[in-house]
Amino acid sequence: MRSHKVTRGIDRAPHRSLFRAAGLHPRELEQPLIGVVNSANEIVPGHTHLNVIADAVKAGIRMGGGTPLEFSTIAVCDGIAMNHAGMHYSLASREVVADSIELMVEAHCFDALVMITNCDKITPGMMMAAARVDLPAIIVSGGPMLSGEYKGKKIDLSKMFEGVGAVRAGRISESELEAMAACACPGCGSCAGMFTANSMNCMSEALGIALPGNGTVPAVSSDRVRLAKEAGIRIMDLLSENLTIKKILNLKAFENALAVDMALGCSTNTLLHLTALAYECGFKLDLNQVNVISERTPQLCLLSPAGPNHIEDLDRAGGVPAVMKELANANLLHEDLITVTGKSLGSNISGARNNDYSIIHSVQKPYREQGGLAVLFGNLAPEGAVVKQGAVSTSMQRFEGSARVFDSEESAVHAINNNEIKAGNVIVIRYEGPRGGPAMREMLAPTSVLAGMGLDDKVALITDGRFSGATRGSSIGHVSPEAAVGGPIALVQDGDLIAIDLPGRKLDLRISEDQLIERQGKWHKPEPKISHGYLKRYASMVSSAGLGAVLSEVSK
């Protein structure tokens, strides 16, 4: 046991005195020490109830014969951080989550980990930490929020952001918007659509590092508490089996995750996080392979923001296991892979049932013949750009328009709010990438305002930043290389024609190579937007979005 380094022998008597000071009984020190990572706080709705989940996990660990020791990490709420300077800190917080867990685990010699998470950057940060320390570990989410209801229709957080645009366009009143705000988020949990938080919690199931149900069982359900207890019990079995995270997370596991990603119509941010997780596992996730999987995997679910259904509906229909069963029946999954249940993925889903084909379509009658995400390449994105094609209208699958160029999200939102954007425009928001942003702010404000104004099927938006999972419409993010390092997106000028071809996986600037070279020669690197504190260090070390926006080993 790793924990024997701090609990056994004459030389560890001082250590035992400190454990006693924390109230531990000598018998507890004879048992394996299990780290319980809890990101609970009183700010983030997805985390306000996580102490209940932690208590259930610890009860399970004790039932399994272990000693649970809880410690915390941070959690940023993307919704509250949205559309102001706080969003610079969202993606960057992922690395703090991963680093803080690594520090605690290595300093205190835990034997295994149960990681209690929920929202956008916390779940991938915990996954990255688990791969980095390579111990037996299980991801346990706090579960999704229930959808709200307003005037007899289901609503969620994405409708609130779109409501801002509707007010700007005079389509609803401010009082109606406030009435919606009172209904949209009815309680604890990660926001109710297939946004980034729920996408990544579903990915943990598909990867095999969480128990079935982790992605969809509602936060308010007693089943969520029992699932947490089961995870506590199960971690003791993983420890005795020495089944560590890297024994589960091989390349085929990532292919499974991508297939489920495509079938569910997940957030574009999943590619950023899966790429970063692969980096922690020691291999590169090829973005070209993402297209290969997308082209052979149909989209089976149409969940908010792309459609009317929510995570609670997916859970009722059978959850992620039912989706995987549909894919497996079409030989679209690797079923032989080991998971944290100790069984193969095929065994896990053998009893799964699709209870509602209106929520989870069959492979034979999918919502779309191809998956929810696509990676575009071209002279505007030589290293790739990502789009949630399952949330793009048919009329916008191929689109050519004139560029309206903005060097920040704020300037673009100002132009949108002042009715300066017209049908047929391609909005270009740059210097919002990993380095230029810094930290890739989400562009939910401009995309939701466009949707609220009824322009989401008439205007495209491209950025070297990224989008919230709540974004819909022709929104193309992660453009790499980013503007801050002189990528082609830095060279676009107002009025340039931009061609978008989702079926052809192309994103091109309609100017000649000679013009590009001439503009490149005149380009000057801008001053950093933030030149102090954590973000200064982050910007100096972060890689491109195409590599997952991970931090380099050596500062550049």
Side-chain angles (χ1 to χ4, degrees):
M1 291 290 177
R2 277 168 48 98
S3 60
H4 292 175
K5 296 177 183 178
V6 293
T7 60
R8 298 284 178 91
I10 295 173
D11 292 340
R12 299 300 181 255
H15 302 63
R16 290 192 292 275
S17 71
L18 291 168
F19 280 119
R20 284 173 175 265
L24 290 174
H25 190 279
R27 182 170 173 179
E28 289 179 289
L29 298 183
E30 292 297 313
Q31 299 176 155
L33 302 185
I34 311 300
V36 178
V37 190
N38 184 3
S39 56
N41 61 49
E42 296 181 348
I43 303 167
V44 186
H47 295 247
T48 55
H49 65 303
L50 292 190
N51 286 332
V52 174
I53 304 301
D55 287 343
V57 166
K58 289 186 285 187
I61 291 169
R62 293 188 183 103
M63 283 189 276
T67 297
L69 294 171
E70 182 181 341
F71 63 91
S72 62
T73 188
I74 65 167
V76 169
C77 178
D78 278 24
I80 296 172
M82 193 72 66
N83 196 24
H84 60 90
M87 182 46 69
H88 287 293
Y89 293 86
S90 173
L91 179 60
S93 73
R94 184 188 70 181
E95 315 309 312
V96 176
V97 171
D99 290 349
S100 65
I101 294 170
E102 176 193 359
L103 291 169
M104 289 294 289
V105 170
E106 298 297 357
H108 300 106
C109 298
F110 290 105
D111 295 306
L113 299 168
V114 179
M115 311 176 101
I116 303 168
T117 179
N118 221 15
C119 293
D120 297 49
K121 309 309 162 299
I122 302 87
T123 298
M126 288 194 181
M127 291 178 176
M128 290 163 66
R132 196 179 297 173
V133 300
D134 195 25
L135 295 176
I138 296 179
I139 299 290
V140 178
S141 86
M145 184 186 294
L146 297 177
S147 60
E149 185 174 310
Y150 179 70
K151 292 186 174 179
K153 293 183 179 180
K154 289 185 176 182
I155 64 170
D156 55 36
L157 183 65
S158 67
K159 293 299 182 185
M160 289 309 307
F161 280 97
E162 291 180 15
V164 173
V167 170
R168 300 277 187 195
R171 299 168 71 181
I172 64 172
S173 66
E174 289 187 41
S175 61
E176 189 170 4
L177 182 66
E178 198 57 35
M180 291 168 60
C183 304
C185 299
C188 64
S190 49
C191 295
M194 189 52 80
F195 314 142
T196 305
N198 292 321
S199 293
M200 289 309 299
N201 288 329
C202 289
M203 289 298 94
S204 66
E205 279 193 61
L207 287 163
I209 57 176
L211 297 177
N214 183 68
T216 62
V217 173
V220 296
S221 170
S222 60
D223 286 341
R224 175 61 58 180
V225 176
R226 282 187 286 273
L227 185 68
K229 290 180 180 178
E230 185 60 35
I233 296 169
R234 181 60 198 151
I235 195 64
M236 302 310 299
D237 296 328
L238 289 181
L239 180 60
S240 65
E241 297 161 8
N242 193 31
L243 184 54
T244 66
I245 283 290
K246 284 188 179 179
K247 292 177 182 176
I248 296 172
L249 292 179
N250 55 37
L251 186 56
K252 288 184 177 180
F254 281 86
E255 290 178 353
N256 280 348
L258 287 170
V260 175
D261 192 335
M262 300 306 163
L264 289 173
C266 289
S267 164
T268 53
N269 286 315
T270 57
L271 295 191
L272 198 66
H273 299 318
L274 290 174
T275 302
L277 179 58
Y279 174 85
E280 295 290 352
C281 293
F283 52 84
K284 182 179 178 181
L285 197 61
D286 186 353
L287 292 181
N288 288 290
Q289 183 65 12
V290 173
N291 281 338
V292 171
I293 293 173
S294 179
E295 287 166 6
R296 73 186 183 208
T297 309
Q299 184 172 343
L300 305 183
C301 301
L302 200 65
L303 304 166
S304 176
N309 300 317
H310 292 81
I311 305 301
E312 67 212 58
D313 302 309
L314 175 61
D315 186 66
R316 176 175 52 80
V320 176
V323 174
M324 290 196 286
K325 185 70 175 291
E326 293 287 344
L327 295 176
N329 288 341
N331 296 315
L332 292 171
L333 290 181
H334 304 288
E335 295 186 65
D336 59 334
L337 302 185
I338 193 69
T339 72
V340 290
T341 65
K343 303 175 184 177
S344 69
L345 181 128
S347 295
N348 289 347
I349 64 175
S350 61
R353 288 187 55 194
N354 186 344
N355 300 316
D356 190 341
Y357 281 94
S358 71
I359 305 297
I360 305 172
H361 282 208
S362 68
V363 171
Q364 291 73 31
K365 296 181 179 180
Y367 280 104
R368 298 181 73 257
E369 294 294 334
Q370 294 187 347
L373 300 182
V375 180
L376 312 182
F377 296 92
N379 69 352
L380 194 48
E383 296 175 7
V386 181
V387 62
K388 191 172 186 176
Q389 63 175 352
V392 180
S393 67
T394 302
S395 64
M396 295 292 287
Q397 293 287 313
R398 288 187 173 90
F399 182 76
E400 186 170 302
S402 59
R404 289 295 314 276
V405 182
F406 303 93
D407 288 346
S408 70
E409 177 188 7
E410 289 84 355
S411 58
V413 171
H414 182 269
I416 296 168
N417 286 336
N418 282 278
N419 297 311
E420 296 172 20
I421 302 302
K422 307 301 180 185
N425 285 157
V426 177
I427 301 170
V428 178
I429 305 178
R430 62 192 181 190
Y431 297 105
E432 293 286 5
R435 291 194 180 191
M440 296 185 79
R441 289 192 290 176
E442 288 186 346
M443 302 292 166
L444 181 56
T447 59
S448 58
V449 172
L450 286 170
M453 290 180 166
L455 290 173
D456 54 303
D457 62 349
K458 302 175 182 67
V459 170
L461 192 156
I462 69 171
T463 180
D464 53 7
R466 60 192 180 89
F467 296 109
S468 164
T471 288
R472 62 186 174 93
S474 184
S475 304
I476 301 166
H478 308 192
V479 173
S480 300
E482 63 174 294
V485 298
I489 192 172
L491 311 179
V492 183
Q493 297 178 1
D494 276 337
D496 285 346
L497 286 180
I498 294 175
I500 299 166
D501 181 358
L502 301 193
R505 306 295 191 251
K506 298 289 290 180
L507 179 62
D508 286 310
L509 180 62
R510 295 292 200 206
I511 66 172
S512 69
E513 185 67 24
D514 288 342
Q515 286 177 290
L516 271 177
I517 294 171
E518 180 184 355
R519 292 182 186 182
Q520 185 72 64
K522 296 177 181 178
W523 177 80
H524 297 286
K525 186 175 181 178
E527 291 296 316
K529 293 179 181 177
I530 298 177
S531 56
H532 65 278
Y534 173 62
L535 288 180
K536 178 181 179 180
R537 299 197 304 274
Y538 178 90
S540 72
M541 299 176 68
V542 69
S543 73
S544 76
L547 296 175
V550 295
L551 296 188
S552 305
E553 297 294 332
V554 180
S555 179
K556 295 180 180 178

